[in-house]
Amino acid sequence: MMPQEGIFHSPGAFSGLAVLRLTRNAALPQLREVVSSIHEELSATQGLRMVLGLEPALLPESPTQPALLPREGPTARFPSSQAHVLVQMSTCERELLLCALRRVLALSKGVLYLEEELLGGRIGVGREPFGFRDGLLKPTREQVRRTAIVPSGPLAGASWLLYLRFQQDLDLFNHLRTQAQERVVGRTREGELVVDAPAEAHILRARASGAGENQLLIRRGFPFRHGGEEGLAFLAASADPDGYRRALDALLGADGQTPDAMLRYATAVGGGLYLAPPRGWFHCPAQQERRPAHEGIGPGL
Ligand code: HEM
């Protein structure tokens, strides 16, 4: 089964996401129709990259597992604001992004309502709000396929998406001298490795979980500014939600590990785990039923 094409592309100059919830009276087949129309229209729009994820419990093929969020460590917490649908979009033109967000809302009318919307995009050459270069090790298509796409079984071609909305305390971080900031991240502002970085440095914590060099997850987040709040919409794609468990626990300092120094300056205020079905899933249910079950994700909703 073919994965959603957007998973292979890093966010462009302009990025946005919409988090939606089912309205009280909506039936599940209506949801499938709505998300299929959103996917069909937006994935065919030139210059727009999109990924659409659903709450995993909405897909019967998704294995039951302990909730990923909320998670807690000795000094920080990753809360849950799990909803039903997440759509991430990125473009090179702001107008296209705005049109796409409007279309998501128009197509969802009566079935889904908007719970959260974030607009953001690239800062300079690609910096996160603290001013550090981000997204340095660009994944190849092959790395994305290996790390982010479920290879076989009933979820073949699907991808697990993690969303965390971080508020970054720029004032607090800017009180640190440049060298101290670089020891928090584990890289210089321009992206060079800090050779004697402490174990609590962000990239060392991420690497301790096995997530370094695009191994456990593919990052596709973007910086935003919204109502005076600045931060990172952290988004990632992975073939295995257990990789997220390991990565988040390593940052939180769970089970006696060292907590990530970055979490003193960045606070997660919401997030959720979503499952991005493969492209074929978005056909109308009638077409799905004609396909043999062994072809991957079944009729679902
Ligand atoms: C506000 C929150 C965050 C900020 C500001 C942030 C910032 C950064 C920066 C500046 C880098 C170095 C540049 C680069 O390697 O591209 C980095 C690397 C990385 N971050 Fe984060 N990050 C945040 C949250 C997270 C979270 C929640 C995770 C995992 C769940 C994560 C996983 C990683 C990984 C895997 C790397 C690359 C490590 C490597 O291969 O060397 N980050 N992050």
Side-chain angles (χ1 to χ4, degrees), residues 7 144 146-150 158-162 215-218 220 236-244 273-275:
I7 290 172
V144 176
R146 218 176 27 235
T147 302
I149 312 295
V150 178
S159 189
W160 295 87
L161 307 177
L162 171 65
Q215 291 297 318
L216 277 187
L217 50 92
I218 300 294
R220 25 177 311 110
S238 177
D240 180 6
D242 206 57
Y244 291 139
L273 180 69
Y274 296 85
L275 191 52

Side-chain angles (χ1 to χ4, degrees), residues 184-187 193-194 197 200-208 212 260:
V184 167
V185 176
R187 286 194 184 269
L193 282 171
V194 173
E200 63 171 12
H202 175 62
I203 68 154
L204 296 190
R205 294 313 307 139
R207 287 180 175 196
D260 183 346

